Amino acid sequence: MEELFVTYLRERLPLVERALSDAADTPLTDGPAAADLTRYLYAPLARFTASGGKRVRPVLALLGAEAVGGRAEDALSCAVAVELFQSAALIHDDIADEGELRRGEPCLYRVEGTGLAINAGDLALAQVFEVVLADPALSPELKVCALEELVRMERHTLEGQALDLGWVRDTRWDVTSEDYLYMVTSKTAWYSAAIPLYVGAIVGGGSEEAARGLLELGITAGVAFQLADDLLNLVGDAEAQGKDFRSDITEGKRTLAVVWALEHLDAKRRAELVALLGSSTTDADKLERAVGLIEAGGGIERCQSLAQEMAGRAKDAARGLEEAGHITVEARDLLISMSDFFVERAG
């Protein structure tokens, strides 16, 4: 079933790519400083944004519009805004995590330096507003509404990131499964699925009931998406991920698999896992041992089962929205396929 959503992604990708290219900003001056501004600010962000992958998040904004009977083009500025926020979040996240690679290339801050990378991320945040405000197809009322939701998305993401970073900084190992799910809902689900679908439905002319239903579906599917990502980092394809494989262990990430295992391991093995997670190890044998302990504590199985459960809830929500007449049959099938796509990546 996931092939349906993959096909939709492929078909809508050219729309998103053209819109991103059109939205690429230029210096506010054509004077002597323009070349330096391009080199130090605009070109680094343009290169980073152009290196994006499947563009799932912006395409979901188009799907939100089409689901309620609108056109994909109605949501293009919002789609671009979501992708620009994604660029900002990843650029800043790599700095905070001291990452090495992003999308198979050295992180932007490693190429341009930390200061210029932060500045490029900040430019992307400014452009989130600029692209929506400049959209001639949106009424002033729709622009305000869309920007309100995009700001809400940003706030949720920042709160989730604060928890994720703070727990690591303060060596917090008392984080519970409930804590993790709150964090990941804020950090990932709102901007990965919920707000793209929601804001797309709003600018696509959908009812409040339809938009709200898509928001709630997106939150559930977004959690499933992150759980699948967590699994891929632990038990996915090591060759495909390269240096990023099992980096969550090296960075001491409090993923669901980790916190669940810590809640269920005996004291001796819990202490061993905590020591490995706090050691910043990149040794393959030690990483393998950590994964073994996580599995022994039931973390892998819990992560897999909850991802499937969340995807199932999202699919049920899609069926319910269609039965109530809030979305089209085609959208129902695409949203069901999307939910499968989100979790099947982790096999």
Side-chain angles (χ1 to χ4, degrees):
M1 184 66 173
E2 65 177 294
E3 291 82 3
L4 184 63
F5 183 66
V6 172
T7 299
Y8 182 80
L9 280 174
R10 185 168 57 248
E11 291 174 347
R12 294 296 179 268
L13 184 59
L15 266 179
V16 172
E17 295 292 359
R18 282 196 299 271
L20 282 168
S21 178
D22 292 343
D25 225 332
T26 56
L28 298 175
T29 176
D30 58 2
D36 283 346
L37 285 169
T38 299
R39 164 68 185 88
Y40 298 136
L41 179 60
Y42 294 96
L45 176 60
R47 286 197 307 271
F48 184 88
T49 301
S51 70
K54 296 182 178 69
R55 309 292 194 194
V56 172
R57 294 165 183 85
V59 168
L60 287 182
L62 308 188
L63 176 54
E66 292 187 287
V68 297
R71 303 176 309 135
E73 290 80 3
D74 296 334
L76 268 177
S77 64
C78 292
V80 170
V82 168
E83 187 67 9
L84 287 166
F85 176 71
Q86 160 87 339
S87 290
L90 294 181
I91 290 168
H92 291 159
D93 196 44
D94 287 340
I95 295 168
D97 290 341
E98 299 180 352
E100 294 185 13
L101 296 175
R102 171 65 66 182
R103 298 164 176 165
E105 300 291 335
C107 294
L108 187 65
Y109 81 97
R110 291 188 173 270
V111 175
E112 300 292 342
T114 300
L116 287 175
I118 291 172
N119 213 37
D122 290 346
L123 172 63
L125 292 176
Q127 286 186 293
V128 168
F129 290 83
E130 289 176 344
V131 295
V132 174
L133 291 171
D135 187 347
L138 295 182
S139 68
E141 292 78 15
L142 277 179
K143 288 178 182 179
V144 170
C145 189
L147 289 173
E148 283 178 344
E149 297 309 324
L150 290 167
V151 168
R152 180 159 66 134
M153 172 189 76
E154 292 187 0
R155 177 73 74 88
H156 275 290
T157 307
L158 292 172
E159 285 195 355
Q161 177 76 330
L163 292 173
D164 198 19
L165 293 171
W167 291 338
V168 172
R169 188 199 69 180
D170 292 346
T171 60
R172 292 278 302 279
W173 297 112
D174 59 342
V175 175
T176 66
S177 299
E178 184 178 356
D179 293 332
Y180 167 84
L181 289 173
Y182 181 85
M183 180 275 291
V184 81
T185 298
S186 294
K187 179 177 177 177
T188 301
W190 279 88
Y191 93 94
S192 291
I195 289 298
L197 286 169
Y198 184 50
V199 78
I202 290 172
V203 300
S207 67
E208 179 56 33
E209 292 83 359
R212 176 62 58 178
L214 287 170
L215 175 76
E216 293 172 356
L217 182 157
I219 289 174
T220 306
V223 172
F225 181 89
Q226 184 59 53
L227 291 172
D229 262 10
D230 291 349
L231 284 168
L232 280 170
N233 192 270
L234 295 177
V235 296
D237 187 333
E239 185 175 345
Q241 294 189 57
K243 288 185 178 181
D244 284 337
F245 187 56
R246 294 180 172 170
S247 59
D248 285 354
I249 296 173
T250 302
E251 295 169 14
K253 291 279 188 180
R254 276 65 168 170
T255 63
L256 178 66
V258 165
V259 298
W260 184 270
L262 292 175
E263 289 172 331
H264 293 85
L265 285 171
D266 59 61
K268 181 178 179 180
R269 289 189 294 177
R270 184 184 189 279
E272 183 183 359
L273 179 55
V274 167
L276 286 168
L277 290 165
S279 69
S280 302
T281 184
T282 57
D283 180 82
D285 290 337
K286 291 181 179 178
L287 294 174
E288 183 69 28
R289 175 57 180 166
V291 172
L293 288 167
I294 292 168
E295 189 166 15
I300 303 296
E301 182 180 356
R302 176 56 179 161
C303 208
Q304 290 170 331
S305 64
L306 187 58
Q308 291 291 343
E309 178 187 331
M310 290 292 191
R313 286 169 54 185
K315 290 188 278 189
D316 287 344
R319 297 184 186 101
L321 285 168
E322 187 276 324
E323 289 172 3
H326 294 317
I327 63 173
T328 65
V329 172
E330 293 79 9
R332 176 201 65 192
D333 293 342
L334 279 168
L335 290 165
I336 290 171
S337 177
M338 174 200 76
S339 301
D340 287 331
F341 171 78
F342 278 4
V343 295
E344 292 305 321
R345 298 167 305 130

